[in-house]
Amino acid sequence: MPFYTYDLTSLLFMLPGVLVAAWAQAMVSGNFNKYSRVQSARCITGAEAARQILNSNGLSHIAIQHVSETLADHYDPGSKVVRLSDEVYNSTSLAAVAVAAHECGHAIQDAQEYQPMRWRSMLVPVVNVATQAGWVVLFAGLILSMYGLSVIGALLFCAALIFQLVTLPVEYNASSRALTLLEAEGILESGEIGGAKKVLSAAALTYVASVIATVLQLLNIVRMMLMYRRNRW
């Protein structure tokens, strides 16, 4: 008899991950909103801070673009562009300057061929395919009573966890570089670094939350597979 389940236990496995993710997002929003209202002493905008950091690190060729999406700040290694959102580009707040510096940290990682960043870039196409195929293969194996196929699906899903684990050092390193550069470049005064650190530390929690949620999903998958095997035999 085919076996598949998404019972109360599955929901209990998901709940901690959902709660951690919600808490991390609340921390991000709370700290960003708080320090968005605190203007930096030197009134340097996020875009100006990014330009200064990039130029001082020999990256004057990297463009800075203004994007309209909310908190869509990122560094695009393919186009060699730092993209800053409305909340960051023209703002002189501690939060804006911290976020802009963080994205410049990624640009510097790229220029210096920081290994974890290179690994993450190589994993992106693999993860996109593996995670989508993983769920299909997993549940196909369970529904069709093909245990070996479900194992393959679970292994494919592990690609998401590997990607998230590689992402952690990339993000924390970019934040560390950002805080060092903000003080070294004189963009923020020493007394302002603490606020910038809170903003970036809160943002990093979202990546930790993603790892926790994925681990819980994998544990639930293992539980489902063991139940399938027990029922089968």
Side-chain angles (χ1 to χ4, degrees):
M1 176 180 177
F3 171 77
Y4 58 97
T5 183
Y6 201 74
D7 55 14
L8 179 60
T9 306
S10 295
L11 295 177
L12 292 176
F13 267 89
M14 292 177 58
L15 184 58
V18 172
L19 293 176
V20 170
W23 172 74
Q25 190 57 51
M27 291 290 290
V28 172
S29 299
N31 278 281
F32 187 86
N33 291 336
K34 176 181 178 180
Y35 289 100
S36 287
R37 296 190 293 269
V38 180
Q39 300 304 304
S40 60
R42 298 180 182 175
C43 294
I44 295 175
T45 67
E48 291 169 342
R51 185 75 276 160
Q52 181 176 333
I53 290 172
L54 292 172
N55 290 352
S56 66
N57 283 273
L59 301 177
S60 57
H61 62 285
I62 292 181
I64 299 171
Q65 292 182 354
H66 184 192
V67 295
S68 58
E69 294 89 349
T70 300
L71 292 180
D73 310 274
H74 66 280
Y75 168 67
D76 183 346
S79 302
K80 307 299 181 187
V81 172
V82 170
R83 297 190 174 98
L84 302 178
S85 64
D86 288 332
E87 298 86 353
V88 172
Y89 191 90
N90 288 317
S91 174
T92 60
S93 70
L94 293 187
V97 172
V99 171
H102 175 87
E103 300 310 329
C104 291
H106 286 312
I108 296 170
Q109 288 174 336
D110 185 28
Q112 295 180 353
E113 298 186 342
Y114 180 63
Q115 285 300 318
M117 187 178 191
R118 296 183 67 185
W119 297 336
R120 184 174 73 169
S121 297
M122 290 187 292
L123 282 170
V124 168
V126 176
V127 171
N128 288 339
V129 174
T131 51
Q132 292 179 16
W135 284 114
V136 175
V137 174
L138 170 68
F139 284 106
L142 293 176
I143 294 170
L144 298 174
S145 297
M146 299 174 65
Y147 183 73
L149 188 61
S150 63
V151 170
I152 294 173
L155 291 175
L156 287 171
F157 188 71
C158 286
L161 179 60
I162 294 172
F163 176 79
Q164 290 166 353
L165 289 173
V166 171
T167 295
L168 286 178
V170 176
E171 296 300 326
Y172 276 98
N173 179 266
S175 290
S176 177
R177 291 173 187 261
L179 294 171
T180 299
L181 289 166
L182 286 172
E183 188 165 19
E185 294 288 331
I187 297 171
L188 293 183
E189 297 181 352
S190 58
E192 298 175 311
I193 296 297
K197 184 175 182 179
K198 288 180 179 179
V199 172
L200 297 181
S201 295
L205 288 177
T206 60
Y207 298 98
V208 176
S210 294
V211 170
I212 293 172
T214 301
V215 168
L216 291 172
Q217 284 183 321
L218 283 171
L219 289 174
N220 188 45
I221 287 171
V222 171
R223 182 191 68 85
M224 293 169 63
M225 291 171 61
L226 291 175
M227 288 178 63
Y228 158 80
R229 192 170 190 179
R230 184 171 63 249
N231 287 5
R232 181 185 180 189
W233 297 105

